[in-house]
Amino acid sequence: MGMLEIGGLIFLALVGGIAAKMFLDIQQKEYTDDRMRQTFAAQSKGMEDDSASSEFSEYQESVLEHIDGRINDGFPILGEKIVHAGYRIKAFQWCGMIFLITLVVAILPIFFLQSTFGIWAIVFSVVLFILVPAIAYFILNMHIGQRVSIFDEQFGVGLDVMSASMKAGGTFMSSIRFVAEGSEAPLSNEMGLLSTELGLGTDMNTALDRFRQRLPSKNLLIFVIAIKVANQTGASLAPILTTLSQVIVERFRLQGLINIAISENMVGICILAAFPWLIIPLLAFAWPEAYVEFFKWNLGAIPIGKAIGFIAFCWYCFGVFVMYKTVKAIDT
């Protein structure tokens, strides 16, 4: 019974950790977007273009639906993530591959371990059935983060190239196309898609907003607002792009230092978070009587031992959450 409770706690920790990670990622993205929108709200106010006719709006909507369909491959969120992760595979194929891997990995313990471990083999299979897709999704997001980091590194140089092209007499459209044709992925892919949308008749504001929404790069909102402000005021884009390039390059350098500090603290959090799950099983195996007696400790109808164990587990989860949020606050 004691080992079953340990397995239940481990299972709860896995599910809770996965759910907390997804929730924190969504919360962090929304928080960052809100902060940056508030920063540039005064500059972007009143820049929406309401002059488009209904016919143009319908045409633009059909163009965007066609582009989204080609990008997403029938999977509105996951398909786009796969594209921006740099995978040369369709979303349906990726999902099928992950499902097959999950099925095989989850079924193997039942065939090979059930005769020895009994119900534990089934519990382990259920854990794997949840854990394998979560790991695949985590790896997908990790690759997206790596590509965004590469994009940020290339973006400053790309803006310098755009500025030089416009100073030489080129238009904004031609400078985007020049960067798309002359740079490497992922900058070439994203700039090429922006050029395609503009070339098919999408208005500037919509194309820029979609460009920012496609990539979780903190530099893109600055770029989008700067272009909108320049279009609204009639300012020259070339010097603005030069200044933006310098700002983004410096931001990328500082972000590298921040990432180092975050990584060092994350390692400490992982060590502290893993320590109880290494010690508790060892104690349970070394002294099973004391462990079982503790969880059987009752005060009348109140299971004191189980209540203390549950409170300790909740406090552990709360402590890990606080440490994680404290470290992530460095990035904001």
Side-chain angles (χ1 to χ4, degrees), residues 18-31:
I18 293 168
K21 179 66 171 62
M22 292 182 178
F23 173 76
L24 290 173
D25 287 343
I26 295 172
Q27 186 184 48
Q28 182 66 27
K29 182 179 183 301
E30 292 177 351
Y31 175 75

Side-chain angles (χ1 to χ4, degrees), residues 44 73 91 117 136 170 178 208 276 291 324:
S44 61
D73 194 31
F117 295 96
F178 183 75
L208 290 174
Y291 180 80
Y324 177 83

Side-chain angles (χ1 to χ4, degrees), residues 48-216:
E48 296 297 329
D49 186 9
D50 298 328
S51 62
S53 64
S54 59
E55 296 170 348
F56 176 75
S57 298
E58 292 176 0
Y59 167 75
Q60 178 174 265
E61 186 176 350
S62 66
V63 169
L64 297 180
E65 287 179 356
H66 173 72
I67 293 174
D68 286 340
R70 295 294 299 272
I71 294 176
N72 297 335
D73 194 31
F75 290 77
I77 298 176
L78 185 61
E80 188 172 339
K81 281 182 173 290
I82 290 173
V83 169
H84 293 299
Y87 294 168
R88 299 184 180 275
I89 186 174
K90 294 185 178 297
F92 178 77
Q93 295 172 336
W94 186 85
C95 291
M97 181 181 66
I98 296 302
F99 177 76
L100 290 176
I101 292 174
T102 303
L103 200 61
V104 171
V105 171
I107 288 177
L108 285 177
I110 298 178
F111 282 104
F112 294 100
L113 301 179
Q114 190 174 13
S115 60
T116 305
F117 295 96
I119 191 173
W120 284 107
I122 299 176
V123 172
F124 187 55
S125 295
V126 173
V127 172
L128 289 177
F129 193 79
I130 297 173
L131 193 60
V132 171
I135 292 175
Y137 186 77
F138 173 78
I139 293 174
L140 179 65
N141 282 314
M142 184 179 66
H143 286 169
I144 292 175
Q146 291 173 350
R147 281 176 63 86
V148 169
S149 179
I150 296 172
F151 174 85
D152 285 337
E153 186 177 7
Q154 296 173 335
F155 195 38
V157 179
L159 292 180
D160 258 341
V161 173
M162 288 178 62
S163 176
S165 175
M166 296 185 72
K167 287 177 181 178
T171 63
F172 182 69
M173 276 283 297
S174 64
S175 64
I176 292 176
R177 195 174 298 112
F178 183 75
V179 172
E181 294 173 354
S183 59
E184 298 180 354
L187 181 64
S188 60
N189 299 338
E190 301 301 332
M191 285 296 192
L193 187 54
L194 176 63
S195 174
T196 300
E197 290 184 353
L198 292 172
L200 290 175
T202 307
D203 69 272
M204 181 69 74
N205 286 354
T206 301
L208 290 174
D209 287 337
R210 284 168 54 83
F211 183 33
R212 180 184 61 83
Q213 292 168 2
R214 280 195 298 268
L215 280 179

